Protein backbone atom coordinates (compact mmCIF):
# COMPACT_ATOMS: atom_id res chain seq x y z
CA UNK A 1 0.00 0.00 0.00
CA UNK A 2 2.85 2.35 0.90
CA UNK A 3 4.50 1.52 -2.40
CA UNK A 4 1.32 2.38 -4.34
CA UNK A 5 1.04 5.65 -2.45
CA UNK A 6 4.65 6.45 -3.22
CA UNK A 7 4.11 5.74 -6.91
CA UNK A 8 1.00 7.94 -6.89
CA UNK A 9 2.87 10.82 -5.31
CA UNK A 10 5.68 10.33 -7.81
CA UNK A 11 3.32 10.35 -10.78
CA UNK A 12 1.55 13.45 -9.51
CA UNK A 13 4.82 15.26 -9.00
CA UNK A 14 5.86 14.86 -12.66
CA UNK A 15 3.25 17.27 -14.14
CA UNK A 16 3.73 19.64 -11.21
CA UNK A 17 7.47 19.75 -11.80
CA UNK A 18 6.93 20.13 -15.53
CA UNK A 19 4.56 23.04 -14.92
CA UNK A 20 6.97 24.67 -12.50
CA UNK A 21 9.77 24.26 -15.03
CA UNK A 22 7.70 25.79 -17.80
CA UNK A 23 6.84 28.78 -15.62
CA UNK A 24 10.49 29.25 -14.64
CA UNK A 25 12.16 28.76 -18.03
CA UNK A 26 9.37 30.03 -20.31
CA UNK A 27 7.35 32.59 -18.29
CA UNK A 28 6.16 34.62 -21.30
CA UNK A 29 5.08 31.57 -23.29
CA UNK A 30 3.43 29.99 -20.24
CA UNK A 31 1.49 33.16 -19.43
CA UNK A 32 0.33 33.36 -23.07
CA UNK A 33 -0.79 29.72 -23.03
CA UNK A 34 -2.73 30.25 -19.79
CA UNK A 35 -4.49 33.29 -21.22
CA UNK A 36 -5.47 31.33 -24.33
CA UNK A 37 -6.78 28.44 -22.21
CA UNK A 38 -8.88 30.83 -20.16
CA UNK A 39 -10.30 32.33 -23.33
CA UNK A 40 -11.30 28.94 -24.65
CA UNK A 41 -12.83 28.04 -21.28
CA UNK A 42 -14.97 31.19 -21.54
CA UNK A 43 -16.44 29.99 -24.84
CA UNK A 44 -14.14 31.99 -27.12
CA UNK A 45 -12.73 30.21 -30.16
CA UNK A 46 -10.22 30.86 -32.92
CA UNK A 47 -11.85 31.70 -36.23
CA UNK A 48 -10.65 32.24 -39.79
CA UNK A 49 -12.17 35.35 -41.34
CA UNK A 50 -12.42 36.49 -44.94
CA UNK A 51 -9.14 37.61 -46.44
CA UNK A 52 -7.15 35.18 -44.32
CA UNK A 53 -7.31 37.10 -41.04
CA UNK A 54 -7.43 35.11 -37.80
CA UNK A 55 -9.48 36.18 -34.79
CA UNK A 56 -10.69 35.27 -31.35
CA UNK A 57 -14.47 35.05 -31.72
CA UNK A 58 -17.38 34.74 -29.32
CA UNK A 59 -20.68 34.41 -31.19
CA UNK A 60 -24.09 34.20 -29.51
CA UNK A 61 -26.10 35.29 -32.56
CA UNK A 62 -28.79 33.07 -34.03
CA UNK A 63 -30.15 32.89 -37.58
CA UNK A 64 -33.12 35.19 -38.07
CA UNK A 65 -32.62 36.99 -34.75
CA UNK A 66 -31.17 40.49 -34.23
CA UNK A 67 -27.39 40.45 -33.91
CA UNK A 68 -25.14 43.17 -32.45
CA UNK A 69 -21.58 42.97 -33.74
CA UNK A 70 -18.44 44.23 -32.01
CA UNK A 71 -14.92 44.23 -33.48
CA UNK A 72 -11.78 44.70 -31.37
CA UNK A 73 -8.59 46.00 -33.02
CA UNK A 74 -5.16 45.74 -31.35
CA UNK A 75 -2.28 48.17 -31.57
CA UNK A 76 1.28 48.17 -32.89
CA UNK A 77 3.36 45.14 -31.90
CA UNK A 78 0.39 43.65 -30.06
CA UNK A 79 -2.09 40.90 -30.91
CA UNK A 80 -5.77 40.11 -30.48
CA UNK A 81 -4.94 38.42 -27.16
CA UNK A 82 -4.76 41.92 -25.65
CA UNK A 83 -8.59 41.80 -25.52
CA UNK A 84 -8.77 38.65 -23.38
CA UNK A 85 -10.28 40.41 -20.34
CA UNK A 86 -13.01 41.93 -22.51
CA UNK A 87 -13.82 38.57 -24.08
CA UNK A 88 -13.92 36.85 -20.68
CA UNK A 89 -16.49 39.30 -19.29
CA UNK A 90 -19.81 37.46 -18.76
CA UNK A 91 -21.58 40.21 -20.71
CA UNK A 92 -19.56 39.21 -23.77
CA UNK A 93 -21.63 36.04 -23.99
CA UNK A 94 -25.00 37.81 -24.01
CA UNK A 95 -27.54 36.45 -26.55
CA UNK A 96 -27.48 38.27 -29.85
CA UNK A 97 -23.88 39.48 -29.53
CA UNK A 98 -20.97 38.63 -31.83
CA UNK A 99 -17.46 39.64 -30.73
CA UNK A 100 -14.47 39.42 -33.02
CA UNK A 101 -10.97 40.33 -31.79
CA UNK A 102 -8.96 40.45 -35.00
CA UNK A 103 -5.28 39.66 -35.48
CA UNK A 104 -4.34 42.26 -38.06
CA UNK A 105 -2.44 41.30 -41.27
CA UNK A 106 0.77 39.39 -40.62
CA UNK A 107 0.08 39.05 -36.88
CA UNK A 108 0.00 35.59 -35.32
CA UNK A 109 -1.85 33.39 -37.86
CA UNK A 110 -3.26 36.16 -40.06
CA UNK A 111 -2.15 36.28 -43.67
CA UNK A 112 0.31 39.09 -44.47
CA UNK A 113 -0.44 41.59 -47.24
CA UNK A 114 1.12 40.95 -50.67
CA UNK A 115 3.73 43.67 -50.14
CA UNK A 116 4.99 46.13 -47.53
CA UNK A 117 2.59 48.84 -48.71
CA UNK A 118 -0.22 46.70 -47.32
CA UNK A 119 0.81 47.67 -43.78
CA UNK A 120 -0.17 51.32 -44.32
CA UNK A 121 -3.16 52.34 -42.22
CA UNK A 122 -5.66 52.72 -45.11
CA UNK A 123 -4.71 49.25 -46.39
CA UNK A 124 -5.07 47.75 -42.91
CA UNK A 125 -8.51 49.35 -42.65
CA UNK A 126 -9.41 47.88 -46.03
CA UNK A 127 -8.32 44.41 -44.88
CA UNK A 128 -10.37 44.82 -41.71
CA UNK A 129 -13.45 45.77 -43.73
CA UNK A 130 -12.94 42.71 -45.93
CA UNK A 131 -12.94 40.49 -42.85
CA UNK A 132 -15.94 42.12 -41.12
CA UNK A 133 -18.33 42.90 -43.97
CA UNK A 134 -19.32 39.26 -44.69
CA UNK A 135 -20.25 38.73 -41.01
CA UNK A 136 -22.42 41.78 -40.21
CA UNK A 137 -23.72 44.84 -42.01
CA UNK A 138 -22.76 47.23 -39.21
CA UNK A 139 -20.31 47.14 -36.32
CA UNK A 140 -19.24 48.79 -33.14
CA UNK A 141 -15.46 49.00 -33.55
CA UNK A 142 -13.09 49.38 -30.60
CA UNK A 143 -9.43 50.15 -31.27
CA UNK A 144 -6.44 50.62 -29.00
CA UNK A 145 -3.45 52.78 -29.97
CA UNK A 146 -2.63 52.13 -33.65
CA UNK A 147 -5.79 50.01 -33.76
CA UNK A 148 -7.73 53.19 -32.96
CA UNK A 149 -6.20 54.88 -36.00
CA UNK A 150 -7.28 51.88 -38.09
CA UNK A 151 -10.79 51.99 -36.59
CA UNK A 152 -11.14 55.71 -37.33
CA UNK A 153 -9.96 55.18 -40.91
CA UNK A 154 -12.45 52.33 -41.29
CA UNK A 155 -15.27 54.58 -40.06
CA UNK A 156 -14.25 57.28 -42.55
CA UNK A 157 -14.04 54.87 -45.49
CA UNK A 158 -16.98 52.61 -44.56
CA UNK A 159 -19.58 54.86 -42.93
CA UNK A 160 -22.40 52.41 -43.56
CA UNK A 161 -20.53 49.65 -41.76
CA UNK A 162 -19.42 51.41 -38.57
CA UNK A 163 -22.25 52.40 -36.25
CA UNK A 164 -20.15 53.30 -33.19
CA UNK A 165 -16.51 53.80 -32.18
CA UNK A 166 -14.79 53.16 -28.87
CA UNK A 167 -11.23 54.51 -28.96
CA UNK A 168 -8.66 53.57 -26.33
CA UNK A 169 -5.59 55.85 -26.22
CA UNK A 170 -5.84 56.00 -29.99
CA UNK A 171 -3.31 57.21 -32.52
CA UNK A 172 -4.41 58.99 -35.69
CA UNK A 173 -4.05 62.73 -35.11
CA UNK A 174 -0.93 64.87 -35.31
CA UNK A 175 0.97 65.01 -32.01
CA UNK A 176 3.16 68.14 -31.94
CA UNK A 177 5.06 66.81 -28.92
CA UNK A 178 6.47 63.95 -31.04
CA UNK A 179 5.79 61.48 -28.23
CA UNK A 180 3.56 59.21 -30.30
CA UNK A 181 6.06 58.99 -33.14
CA UNK A 182 8.98 58.30 -30.78
CA UNK A 183 6.92 55.56 -29.12
CA UNK A 184 6.24 53.88 -32.45
CA UNK A 185 9.91 54.11 -33.42
CA UNK A 186 10.85 52.45 -30.13
CA UNK A 187 9.04 49.30 -31.29
CA UNK A 188 10.59 49.31 -34.76
CA UNK A 189 13.76 47.57 -33.58
CA UNK A 190 13.12 46.72 -29.91
CA UNK A 191 15.67 45.52 -27.37
CA UNK A 192 15.07 44.36 -23.83
CA UNK A 193 16.17 47.77 -22.53
CA UNK A 194 13.97 49.76 -24.93
CA UNK A 195 10.97 47.49 -24.30
CA UNK A 196 11.35 47.89 -20.54
CA UNK A 197 11.33 51.66 -21.01
CA UNK A 198 8.29 51.43 -23.31
CA UNK A 199 6.43 49.29 -20.76
CA UNK A 200 7.30 51.69 -17.94
CA UNK A 201 5.85 54.61 -19.91
CA UNK A 202 2.83 52.59 -21.02
CA UNK A 203 1.61 51.62 -17.56
CA UNK A 204 0.42 53.27 -14.40
CA UNK A 205 1.73 50.44 -12.24
CA UNK A 206 5.24 49.06 -12.78
CA UNK A 207 5.18 45.29 -13.27
CA UNK A 208 7.60 42.74 -11.87
CA UNK A 209 8.51 40.62 -14.88
CA UNK A 210 11.15 37.83 -14.95
CA UNK A 211 14.21 38.58 -17.06
CA UNK A 212 13.50 35.60 -19.33
CA UNK A 213 10.07 37.01 -20.18
CA UNK A 214 11.52 40.24 -21.59
CA UNK A 215 13.63 38.34 -24.13
CA UNK A 216 10.59 36.35 -25.25
CA UNK A 217 8.44 39.50 -25.45
CA UNK A 218 11.01 41.19 -27.70
CA UNK A 219 11.06 38.08 -29.91
CA UNK A 220 7.25 38.11 -30.15
CA UNK A 221 7.22 41.76 -31.26
CA UNK A 222 9.91 41.03 -33.83
CA UNK A 223 7.91 38.07 -35.21
CA UNK A 224 4.95 40.36 -35.79
CA UNK A 225 5.01 42.91 -38.62
CA UNK A 226 5.92 45.71 -36.20
CA UNK A 227 8.86 47.09 -38.15
CA UNK A 228 7.02 46.89 -41.49
CA UNK A 229 4.04 48.72 -39.99
CA UNK A 230 6.20 51.51 -38.52
CA UNK A 231 7.93 51.97 -41.87
CA UNK A 232 4.52 52.17 -43.60
CA UNK A 233 3.17 54.92 -41.32
CA UNK A 234 2.62 58.18 -43.23
CA UNK A 235 1.77 61.65 -42.00
CA UNK A 236 -0.56 61.94 -45.00
CA UNK A 237 -2.76 59.26 -43.39
CA UNK A 238 -3.33 61.28 -40.20
CA UNK A 239 -6.99 62.18 -39.77
CA UNK A 240 -7.02 65.72 -38.38
CA UNK A 241 -8.85 67.09 -41.41
CA UNK A 242 -11.20 64.13 -41.77
CA UNK A 243 -12.49 63.87 -38.20
CA UNK A 244 -14.84 66.92 -38.22
CA UNK A 245 -16.87 65.20 -40.94
CA UNK A 246 -17.18 61.98 -38.93
CA UNK A 247 -20.76 61.39 -37.74
CA UNK A 248 -20.24 58.14 -35.82
CA UNK A 249 -21.09 58.16 -32.09
CA UNK A 250 -17.66 57.98 -30.47
CA UNK A 251 -16.44 57.26 -26.95
CA UNK A 252 -12.79 58.07 -26.22
CA UNK A 253 -11.14 56.42 -23.22
CA UNK A 254 -7.72 57.66 -22.14
CA UNK A 255 -5.44 56.43 -19.37
CA UNK A 256 -4.22 59.40 -17.34
CA UNK A 257 -0.78 57.78 -16.96
CA UNK A 258 -0.27 57.12 -20.69
CA UNK A 259 3.30 58.05 -21.62
CA UNK A 260 3.05 56.55 -25.13
CA UNK A 261 0.46 58.91 -26.65
CA UNK A 262 -0.19 62.05 -24.60
CA UNK A 263 -3.63 62.98 -23.32
CA UNK A 264 -3.41 66.14 -25.44
CA UNK A 265 -3.89 63.90 -28.50
CA UNK A 266 -7.06 62.47 -26.98
CA UNK A 267 -8.34 65.95 -26.15
CA UNK A 268 -7.64 67.04 -29.73
CA UNK A 269 -9.51 64.00 -31.06
CA UNK A 270 -12.42 64.85 -28.78
CA UNK A 271 -12.56 68.43 -30.11
CA UNK A 272 -12.46 67.27 -33.73
CA UNK A 273 -15.12 64.51 -33.52
CA UNK A 274 -18.52 66.12 -33.20
CA UNK A 275 -20.51 64.85 -30.19
CA UNK A 276 -17.74 62.57 -28.93
CA UNK A 277 -17.35 61.72 -25.25
CA UNK A 278 -13.92 61.75 -23.58
CA UNK A 279 -13.35 59.83 -20.35
CA UNK A 280 -9.98 60.07 -18.63
CA UNK A 281 -9.27 56.92 -16.65
CA UNK A 282 -7.41 57.31 -13.34
CA UNK A 283 -4.68 54.83 -12.38
CA UNK A 284 -4.52 53.61 -15.96
CA UNK A 285 -1.99 53.76 -18.80
CA UNK A 286 -1.84 53.11 -22.53
CA UNK A 287 -3.59 49.72 -22.44
CA UNK A 288 -6.91 50.23 -20.63
CA UNK A 289 -8.19 46.85 -21.83
CA UNK A 290 -5.48 45.28 -19.67
CA UNK A 291 -4.89 47.74 -16.83
CA UNK A 292 -8.44 48.97 -16.16
CA UNK A 293 -10.67 46.53 -18.06
CA UNK A 294 -13.87 47.32 -16.17
CA UNK A 295 -14.05 50.79 -17.72
CA UNK A 296 -13.59 49.27 -21.17
CA UNK A 297 -16.11 46.52 -20.54
CA UNK A 298 -18.70 49.04 -19.35
CA UNK A 299 -18.10 51.26 -22.39
CA UNK A 300 -18.62 48.29 -24.71
CA UNK A 301 -21.40 46.37 -22.96
CA UNK A 302 -23.06 49.02 -20.79
CA UNK A 303 -22.68 49.38 -17.03
CA UNK A 304 -24.00 46.32 -15.13
CA UNK A 305 -27.29 46.68 -13.30
CA UNK A 306 -26.96 47.15 -9.55
Amino acid sequence: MKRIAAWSVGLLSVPLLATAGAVYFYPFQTATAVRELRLRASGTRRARLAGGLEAWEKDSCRDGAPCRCLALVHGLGDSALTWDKVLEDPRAGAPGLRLVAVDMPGTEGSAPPPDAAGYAIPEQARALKGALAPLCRSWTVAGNSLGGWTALTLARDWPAGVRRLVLLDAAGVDDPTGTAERSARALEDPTVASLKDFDRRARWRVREIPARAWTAAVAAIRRRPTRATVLALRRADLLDRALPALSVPTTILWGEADGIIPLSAGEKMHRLIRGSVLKVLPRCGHLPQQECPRAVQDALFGAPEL
Side-chain angles (χ1 to χ4, degrees):
M1 204 57 190
K2 290 182 179 178
R3 185 174 297 175
I4 293 173
W7 271 100
S8 299
V9 171
L11 289 171
L12 286 171
S13 67
V14 171
L16 290 174
L17 288 171
T19 301
V23 171
Y24 182 79
F25 290 107
Y26 306 102
F28 179 84
Q29 296 90 332
T30 302
T32 299
V34 169
R35 292 169 71 188
E36 291 180 351
L37 285 171
R38 288 181 58 178
L39 270 182
R40 293 184 186 280
S42 75
T44 312
R45 66 183 184 89
R46 286 296 278 177
R48 188 80 167 174
L49 308 182
L53 298 190
E54 294 280 333
W56 288 102
E57 182 183 60
K58 182 173 279 188
D59 186 2
S60 300
C61 291
R62 298 291 178 265
D63 290 343
C67 182
R68 185 162 61 97
C69 299
L70 170 58
L72 308 170
V73 189
H74 64 79
L76 179 68
D78 210 343
S79 76
L81 194 59
T82 193
W83 300 102
D84 58 343
K85 294 177 182 178
V86 171
L87 290 162
E88 289 173 11
D89 187 295
R91 289 170 285 178
L97 181 61
R98 172 179 289 142
L99 268 73
V100 178
V102 182
D103 276 309
M104 295 301 288
T107 302
E108 311 310 66
S110 288
D115 53 49
Y119 289 113
I121 295 297
E123 295 304 316
Q124 297 232 31
R126 190 171 292 113
L128 182 60
K129 176 187 176 182
L132 299 181
L135 297 176
C136 295
R137 288 187 297 177
S138 68
W139 292 80
T140 292
V141 183
N144 171 235
S145 193
L146 196 75
W149 190 352
T150 304
L152 281 164
T153 303
L154 180 69
R156 181 197 65 183
D157 297 344
W158 189 32
V162 180
R163 59 181 295 271
R164 182 180 174 226
L165 286 169
V166 179
L167 306 173
L168 285 61
D169 297 73
V173 296
D174 185 36
D175 169 28
T177 72
T179 304
E181 183 176 351
R182 286 194 299 272
S183 298
R185 298 293 176 191
L187 294 180
E188 180 181 352
D189 188 22
T191 64
V192 169
S194 67
L195 189 58
K196 283 183 177 181
D197 177 69
F198 185 95
D199 189 74
R200 178 185 59 77
R201 291 187 293 112
R203 294 184 177 269
W204 173 72
R205 186 187 298 277
V206 177
R207 299 186 295 172
E208 293 295 327
I209 299 176
R212 293 176 179 82
W214 287 110
T215 303
V218 168
I221 292 172
R222 288 177 176 274
R223 282 195 303 272
R224 295 165 186 158
T226 313
R227 177 177 171 79
T229 302
V230 172
L231 294 175
L233 296 178
R234 301 176 302 207
R235 294 189 62 83
D237 295 328
L238 291 171
L239 298 166
D240 300 59
R241 293 183 178 181
L243 293 187
L246 203 66
S247 59
V248 180
T250 302
T251 299
I252 303 169
L253 304 179
W254 216 275
E256 68 170 357
D258 188 355
I260 303 302
I261 304 178
L263 176 58
S264 58
E267 293 169 337
K268 181 178 185 179
M269 199 172 287
H270 172 48
R271 290 194 303 270
L272 291 173
I273 302 175
R274 209 170 48 241
S276 64
V277 175
L278 171 64
K279 296 182 180 180
V280 180
L281 307 177
R283 295 179 293 181
C284 194
H286 185 64
L287 301 168
Q289 69 274 20
Q290 287 294 314
E291 210 167 13
C292 42
R294 178 56 63 87
V296 178
Q297 294 161 351
D298 290 350
L300 294 174
F301 306 128
E305 296 182 3
L306 298 179

